[in-house]
């Protein structure tokens, strides 16, 4: 079951807004056979140009769902984010099912798409205060990651779901730390260590 942490920046989070967010974002629960215990972090922002931005992050045990949308209406932004989260889950489950059908004897254990099993945890890391090294390089944010074994295809899916340009992971076969990244031509690259 999802628990909600709804915060507002430049807006008061009323009971009506909170209930609407919970109803819309809660629609993702229908994609799970066993609904996991998780916190849905929702950040609502309003800007001086009368636009409203909604950011939702749901760190599940094996995958991180994240979406953000901006529109002229707060409720409209919530609708757009909800739709985006549902599309992410459907797209991911389709790709996992295809990969599972391709892997016959190779996979030691089957992938359960109903549990969204990507073997990724800890992507929300701990942020630290600004650090500055002696060389004059300013490090403004630090994250701690728990790397879980996965294949490069899974890492690309996770990178796309998070909206990042690169993703660090542990290769399931070689147990080495690798990086997948999005190239300027829209294709993907893999850096092996």
């Amino acid at each position: 079951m999802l628990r909600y942490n709804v915060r507002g920046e430049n807006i008061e989070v009323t009971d009506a807004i909170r209930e609407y967010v919970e109803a819309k974002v809660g629609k993702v629960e229908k994609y799970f056979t066993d609904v996991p215990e998780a916190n849905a972090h929702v950040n609502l922002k309003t800007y001086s140009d009368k636009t409203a931005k909604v950011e939702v992050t749901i760190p599940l045990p094996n995958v991180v769902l994240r979406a953000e949308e901006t529109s002229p209406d707060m409720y409209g932004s919530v609708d757009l984010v909800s739709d985006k989260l549902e599309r992410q889950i459907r797209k991911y489950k389709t790709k996992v099912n295809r990969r599972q059908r391709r892997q016959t004897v190779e996979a030691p254990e089957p992938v359960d798409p109903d549990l969204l099993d990507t073997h990724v945890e800890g992507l929300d890391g701990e942020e630290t205060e600004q650090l500055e090294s002696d060389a004059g390089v300013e490090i403004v944010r630090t994250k701690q990651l728990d790397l879980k074994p996965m294949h490069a295809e899974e890492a690309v899916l996770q990178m796309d779901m998070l909206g990042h340009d690169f993703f660090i992971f542990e290769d399931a076969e070689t147990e080495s730390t690798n990086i997948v990244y999005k190239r300027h031509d829209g294709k993907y690259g893999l850096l092996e260590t």
Side-chain angles (χ1 to χ4, degrees), residues 44-64:
L44 311 172
K45 298 179 184 177
T46 56
Y47 298 104
S48 59
D49 64 354
K50 306 285 190 214
T51 58
K53 181 177 184 179
V54 176
E55 300 172 351
V56 177
T57 304
I58 307 173
L60 297 171
N62 298 313
V63 69
V64 177

Side-chain angles (χ1 to χ4, degrees), residues 119-121 123 145-150 167-170 176-178:
H119 305 292
V120 177
E121 292 181 5
L123 292 178
L145 302 176
D146 292 329
L147 302 180
K148 298 293 179 180
M150 67 175 64
F167 189 80
I168 303 169
F169 68 102
E170 180 181 322
S176 64
T177 302
N178 294 341

Side-chain angles (χ1 to χ4, degrees), residues 2-134:
L2 291 177
R3 292 179 301 275
Y4 297 88
N5 176 11
V6 182
R7 287 186 15 218
E9 293 182 27
N10 300 327
I11 186 173
E12 179 184 345
V13 180
T14 63
D15 289 339
I17 292 175
R18 181 179 301 281
E19 289 171 9
Y20 192 79
V21 166
E22 290 177 7
K24 285 299 198 171
V25 175
K27 289 179 8 181
V28 300
E29 291 182 14
K30 70 182 177 187
Y31 293 98
F32 301 97
T33 52
D34 294 321
V35 180
E37 291 286 326
N39 289 318
H41 303 282
V42 182
N43 196 19
L44 311 172
K45 298 179 184 177
T46 56
Y47 298 104
S48 59
D49 64 354
K50 306 285 190 214
T51 58
K53 181 177 184 179
V54 176
E55 300 172 351
V56 177
T57 304
I58 307 173
L60 297 171
N62 298 313
V63 69
V64 177
L65 299 175
R66 185 177 188 293
E68 65 179 62
E69 286 292 337
T70 304
S71 77
D73 176 42
M74 179 63 68
Y75 291 98
S77 294
V78 172
D79 291 343
L80 292 170
V81 162
S82 174
D83 293 344
K84 193 175 209 178
L85 289 171
E86 287 188 76
R87 282 192 309 272
Q88 284 180 357
I89 292 171
R90 283 194 306 268
K91 178 181 175 184
Y92 177 74
K93 288 177 97 173
T94 300
K95 287 186 179 185
V96 168
N97 283 330
R98 284 182 189 149
R99 195 185 99 242
Q100 187 177 8
R101 285 191 297 266
R102 282 195 312 256
Q103 294 176 341
T104 53
V105 180
E106 298 175 27
E109 55 188 27
V111 175
D112 186 355
D114 290 330
L115 298 177
L116 292 176
D117 190 12
T118 62
H119 305 292
V120 177
E121 292 181 5
L123 292 178
D124 56 327
E126 298 177 20
E127 295 183 22
T128 61
E129 296 294 321
Q130 287 189 352
L131 301 174
E132 188 168 327
S133 68
D134 293 335

